[in-house]
């Protein structure tokens, strides 16, 4: 059986995702079984998913995925490296031979070169110098790679390429092969539709604003499920609606209590503890904590992990497999 894995959030599932599934099958063969490792109710940007994980998994299954399994929570609320490592381990456990992903650059040789450089010994002193200058880890890594290999460093300017590099590192011990599908249409996080596609962030903004034009940029199955969830009050899910619960819990934590969730020796836990006491909303807390060194996504993920009791020591790799949805041949996956 030819099984290909995909790591995704489907927040929500849209035409670009449908294109990725169909293009993967076109390249590997129409009988390819597509297995997806999908974030659950929390996503990597440090937020609630727009909709319940079972609804989002069902959208994918109705649009071509054969099996959708839940990405471990510790991987979903992690950096690109943890996200990729958890997803790759889950897909390997499900028997996947390939890992297919969308990227701005489909040159897997260049992506692998960047991954080797990123994890090599030669970059460490250059990276340490950039970190001492006060840059965030992603910015410091891009600067360090730029000094050693400008072509590889240029990949880090695009989010999907960054994930692709992380996937290259994550699959080294799994035996899986990479299949890079060139991203079509609107760029990641683009605010406007382009080339027949709209980004997930664009669609989320439209849905939350009550702008019904979102429906033009999703498959019919997605439209039906989102419309039902909106009508029944099950979407959109918004983190800001939980401010009281989040802040009440976080304000009971000082820097020492936050350290298992923010263990780096750069003052991160202390800064978070001060912001939690000073901010009146979760968004305000995040804004107070944000600096060039501490990017917003990292802050949001860390605070959510603290609220959920999920320290950095929790493994990104799955301890069990939770199937969220089955499509056409999903039950055949060994």
């Amino acid at each position: 059986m030819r099984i290909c894995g995909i790591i995704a959030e489907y927040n929500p599932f849209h035409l670009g995702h449908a294109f990725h599934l169909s293009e993967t099958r076109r390249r590997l063969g129409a009988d390819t079984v597509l297995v997806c490792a999908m974030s659950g109710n929390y996503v990597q940007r440090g937020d609630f998913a727009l909709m319940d994980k079972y609804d989002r998994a069902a959208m994918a299954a109705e649009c071509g995925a054969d099996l959708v399994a839940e990405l471990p929570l510790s991987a979903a609320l992690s950096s690109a490296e943890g996200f990729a490592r958890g997803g790759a381990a889950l897909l390997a456990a499900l028997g996947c031979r390939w890992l297919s992903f969308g990227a701005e650059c489909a040159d897997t040789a260049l992506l692998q070169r960047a991954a080797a450089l990123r994890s090599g010994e030669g970059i460490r002193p250059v990276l340490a110098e950039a970190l001492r200058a006060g840059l965030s880890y992603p910015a410091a890594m891009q600067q360090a790679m730029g000094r050693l290999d400008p072509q590889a460093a240029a990949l880090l300017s695009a989010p999907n390429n960054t994930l692709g590099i992380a996937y290259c590192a994550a699959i080294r011990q799994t035996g899986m092969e990479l299949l890079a599908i060139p991203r079509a249409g609107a760029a990641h996080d683009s605010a406007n539709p382009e080339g027949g596609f709209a980004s997930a962030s664009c669609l989320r903004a439209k849905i939350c604003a009550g702008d019904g034009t979102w429906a033009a940029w999703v498959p019919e199955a997605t439209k039906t499920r989102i419309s039902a969830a909106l009508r029944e009050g099950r979407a959109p899910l918004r983190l800001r609606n939980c401010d009281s619960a989040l802040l009440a819990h976080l304000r009971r934590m000082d820097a020492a209590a936050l350290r298992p969730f923010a263990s780096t020796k750069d003052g991160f836990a202390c800064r978070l503890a001060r912001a939690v006491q000073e901010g009146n909303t979760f968004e305000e807390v995040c804004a107070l904590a944000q600096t060039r060194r501490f990017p917003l996504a990292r802050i949001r993920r860390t605070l959510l992990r603290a609220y959920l009791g999920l320290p950095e020591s929790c493994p990104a790799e799955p301890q069990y497999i939770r199937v969220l949805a089955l499509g056409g041949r999903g039950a055949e996956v060994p």
Side-chain angles (χ1 to χ4, degrees):
M1 178 183 289
R2 186 183 291 110
I3 307 176
C4 180
I6 294 167
I7 304 172
E9 293 192 314
Y10 296 147
N11 186 35
F13 191 95
H14 55 63
L15 293 175
H17 297 134
F19 170 79
H20 178 223
L21 293 182
S22 63
E23 184 66 7
T24 298
R25 272 209 177 90
R26 186 188 71 80
R27 295 191 180 203
L28 294 179
D31 61 342
T32 301
V33 175
L34 298 181
V35 173
C36 302
M38 188 193 81
S39 300
N41 292 330
Y42 296 88
V43 292
Q44 204 222 359
R45 61 189 293 268
D47 202 350
F48 290 162
L50 180 76
M51 296 172 63
D52 174 85
K53 60 189 177 184
Y54 292 103
D55 273 326
R56 290 170 23 249
M59 292 176 197
E62 289 163 352
C63 295
D66 292 296
L67 186 152
V68 183
E70 184 173 359
L71 188 69
L73 178 58
S74 55
L77 287 178
S78 185
S79 64
E81 289 75 20
F83 185 84
R85 194 169 64 252
L90 177 58
L91 295 174
L94 287 165
C96 295
R97 180 181 167 189
W98 291 271
L99 170 58
S100 174
F101 64 97
E104 290 80 8
C105 171
D107 183 346
T108 54
L110 180 57
L111 291 167
Q112 288 168 338
R113 190 172 96 201
L117 174 63
R118 185 176 179 135
S119 60
E121 292 290 331
I123 202 167
R124 292 187 179 182
V126 189
L127 176 63
E129 181 183 339
L131 288 170
R132 284 195 295 271
L135 296 179
S136 68
Y137 185 85
M141 178 60 75
Q142 185 167 14
Q143 184 180 102
M145 287 179 63
R147 290 175 59 179
L148 300 175
D149 188 335
Q151 188 179 11
L155 295 175
L156 296 179
S157 299
N160 288 294
N161 287 342
T162 301
L163 272 176
I165 293 169
Y167 293 151
C168 288
I171 66 167
R172 283 175 184 161
Q173 306 303 318
T174 68
M176 284 192 287
E177 300 176 38
L178 285 178
L179 175 63
I181 305 294
R183 187 181 175 93
H188 186 276
D189 281 345
S190 172
N192 299 297
E194 181 182 337
F197 298 95
S199 70
S201 58
C202 171
L203 294 173
R204 289 194 301 272
K206 287 179 179 293
I207 290 167
C208 290
D211 179 351
T213 59
W214 62 265
W217 309 99
V218 301
E220 193 62 31
T222 299
K223 177 182 175 181
T224 299
R225 286 194 174 269
I226 293 178
S227 297
L230 291 172
R231 189 169 57 250
E232 296 164 12
R234 295 184 289 107
L237 300 176
R238 301 184 187 186
L239 196 60
R240 69 187 186 194
N241 294 342
C242 300
D243 271 350
S244 296
L246 285 166
L247 294 183
H249 181 82
L250 292 171
R251 283 174 178 161
R252 296 200 297 269
M253 306 177 73
D254 58 13
L258 284 168
R259 200 154 284 122
F261 312 96
S263 61
T264 49
K265 298 176 182 179
D266 53 10
F268 188 35
C270 292
R271 187 172 185 87
L272 288 178
R274 286 195 300 270
V276 163
Q277 298 302 324
E278 295 172 7
N280 294 314
T281 66
F282 184 77
E283 295 299 333
E284 192 172 318
V285 167
C286 293
L288 287 169
Q290 184 179 10
T291 66
R292 185 172 65 162
R293 182 72 177 268
F294 306 132
L296 187 59
R298 179 187 176 192
I299 292 165
R300 294 175 67 94
R301 287 195 301 266
T302 302
L303 291 176
L304 279 178
R305 291 180 74 108
Y307 177 74
L308 295 168
L310 195 69
E312 290 182 344
S313 58
C314 286
E317 294 78 9
Q319 308 304 300
Y320 58 89
I321 297 175
R322 174 180 286 129
V323 175
L324 301 177
L326 291 175
R329 298 182 60 192
E332 300 176 26
V333 176

